[in-house]
Amino acid sequence: GNSVTQMEGPVTLSEEAFLTINCTYTATGYPSLFWYVQYPGEGLQLLLKATKADDKGSNKGFEATYRKETTSFHLEKGSVQVSDSAVYFCALLAGANSKLTFGKGITLSVRP
Amino acid sequence: DTGVSQNPRHKITKRGQNVTFRCDPISEHNRLYWYRQTLGQGPEFLTYFQNEAQLEKSRLLSDRFSAERPKGSFSTLEIQRTEQGDSAMYLCASSLALGQESYEQYFGPGTRLTVT
């Protein structure tokens, strides 16, 4: 079956530090890959996506590249801000199956 | 605001009671999904509708759970004879599907259920 594995958290960084959150997946076919973010007290929001191999999704300074050879979709940001503190979920959508499969999520805390 | 809305936002109930949640999707979206999220975990798929048809149900959806989308617009999720293990955040999402193509899912704020 499909699965998403995220690195263990939580992660605490200082403002302006570089961020990498690892995500690997197992899926049949050619999935689309997503990063969702959940800010405190709010619902899940789509952060970025990539629909095929070598695509790079980007939004709000975050980037992730769909790597088919390593089945990975790692999230990066060059300089984090306090406002980036949230829970980040990696997810996939595979083929005609419409359901998203999520990783466990990782909590990011950015201190001033 | 034309996003996905869910009501109520919070529900506390006693074990054995029935509860019903409502989801109003983005108006032009023909697909509607229900997920459940427990503490420290990612959301898990429960079921989804295309228009009024329920097309898939997860094995997580026991026979105490029922979902409807009678007119292809809003949806309700009912849990009968609630158990403490049903305590979770119930998330609704909607998307637009055209032919075989399904576009990104937009999530509502969720209904947090606490069963005492």
Side-chain angles (χ1 to χ4, degrees):
Chain A
N2 300 330
S3 67
V4 175
T5 302
Q6 291 186 233
M7 59 184 277
E8 293 289 323
V11 172
T12 302
L13 295 173
S14 297
E15 203 164 24
E16 299 183 2
F18 183 83
L19 169 71
T20 300
I21 301 177
N22 290 343
C23 171
T24 57
Y25 67 89
T26 303
T28 53
Y30 303 98
S32 295
L33 301 173
F34 304 84
W35 277 99
Y36 280 84
V37 59
Q38 191 169 33
Y39 297 104
E42 298 185 17
L44 281 167
Q45 299 176 26
L46 179 64
L47 181 59
L48 54 84
K49 68 174 184 179
T51 57
K52 60 183 188 295
D54 301 324
D55 266 3
K56 179 186 281 188
S58 61
N59 186 27
K60 298 182 181 179
F62 291 89
E63 292 183 340
T65 301
Y66 188 140
R67 301 281 188 206
K68 186 168 180 288
E69 63 277 12
T70 54
T71 62
S72 65
F73 192 54
H74 304 322
L75 183 68
E76 296 183 336
K77 186 174 185 182
S79 176
V80 294
Q81 305 301 311
V82 172
S83 57
D84 294 327
S85 298
V87 183
Y88 291 81
F89 294 93
C90 185
L92 70 82
L93 189 73
N97 183 333
S98 283
K99 64 188 182 194
L100 284 166
T101 300
F102 285 87
K104 287 188 175 182
I106 187 168
T107 300
L108 170 67
S109 298
V110 180
R111 52 177 185 244
Chain B
D1 183 14
T2 56
V4 178
S5 62
Q6 292 186 246
N7 287 289
R9 293 291 304 275
H10 303 274
K11 178 71 177 178
I12 300 173
T13 192
K14 293 187 176 176
R15 186 165 53 93
Q17 297 294 303
N18 299 344
V19 294
T20 300
F21 310 140
R22 176 177 170 130
C23 171
D24 287 88
I26 293 171
S27 58
E28 60 268 26
H29 286 180
N30 54 357
R31 284 196 177 168
L32 187 149
Y33 309 79
W34 286 99
Y35 292 84
R36 181 170 67 188
Q37 185 179 13
T38 53
L39 201 61
Q41 302 295 318
E44 294 175 294
F45 171 79
L46 293 178
T47 188
Y48 89 95
F49 294 82
Q50 177 143 336
N51 301 312
E52 64 275 9
Q54 189 172 18
L55 295 187
E56 187 174 346
K57 291 195 290 187
S58 163
R59 282 172 290 181
L60 291 175
L61 212 65
S62 77
D63 55 8
R64 295 185 298 105
F65 288 69
S66 62
E68 294 182 342
R69 194 183 183 199
K71 297 182 180 177
S73 57
F74 73 92
S75 174
T76 56
L77 177 68
E78 182 183 16
I79 309 174
Q80 296 182 324
R81 306 180 302 281
T82 52
E83 301 173 358
Q84 287 188 319
D86 297 332
S87 295
M89 177 76 86
Y90 289 84
L91 298 171
C92 177
S94 70
S95 74
L96 181 63
L98 299 172
Q100 291 294 316
E101 193 72 31
S102 180
Y103 299 95
E104 54 260 36
Q105 296 179 24
Y106 292 85
F107 283 80
T111 294
R112 181 168 294 286
L113 173 66
T114 302
V115 182
T116 62

